[in-house]
Amino acid sequence: RYISTNNYFLINNTIKVTAEHPLFVKRNDKWKFRRVWQIQVDDKLYSINQTELNVDSITNINNGWIDVCSINVENIDNYFSGGILAHNK
């Protein structure tokens, strides 16, 4: 299912993701799924190649439209999107 939104976050000028979406984040040496609106500069994201991607910038964009896809990955609930580990909230 596709929807359009004009409110999303841009991480490191490349990753576009909606505010409520949970990503796997390391902060203070602890990994945890966090909603994107909770992510801070210098947090780490878990990447598909098993490395940490530093969050150098995170910007709330509310004046540009993007299409987003809602997917269901039951039984596992985790997947990689854009190379970053996400949760199927």
Side-chain angles (χ1 to χ4, degrees):
R1 175 175 83 108
Y2 287 95
I3 60 170
S4 295
T5 182
N6 70 343
N7 189 3
Y8 62 93
F9 282 81
L10 182 62
I11 301 173
N12 293 348
N13 295 316
T14 57
I15 303 167
K16 296 177 182 179
V17 62
T18 55
E20 71 279 354
H21 209 92
L23 300 180
F24 202 45
V25 175
K26 183 179 178 182
R27 182 182 300 160
N28 299 324
D29 292 323
K30 294 182 183 177
W31 288 99
K32 173 182 175 180
F33 280 102
R34 294 182 185 273
R35 306 263 183 203
V36 170
W37 60 266
Q38 297 172 312
I39 294 175
Q40 303 170 359
V41 168
D42 289 328
D43 282 346
K44 312 292 186 228
L45 304 177
Y46 189 79
S47 74
I48 196 165
N49 59 4
Q50 300 179 347
T51 61
E52 298 174 5
L53 174 66
N54 194 66
V55 176
D56 296 321
S57 66
I58 183 163
T59 306
N60 187 330
I61 307 294
N62 57 18
N63 61 354
W65 287 91
I66 62 169
D67 293 326
V68 295
C69 181
S70 177
I71 64 171
N72 189 349
V73 289
E74 284 303 319
N75 298 330
I76 297 173
D77 288 327
N78 300 322
Y79 61 96
F80 286 93
S81 179
I84 302 301
L85 185 59
H87 191 275
N88 187 38
K89 62 178 173 111

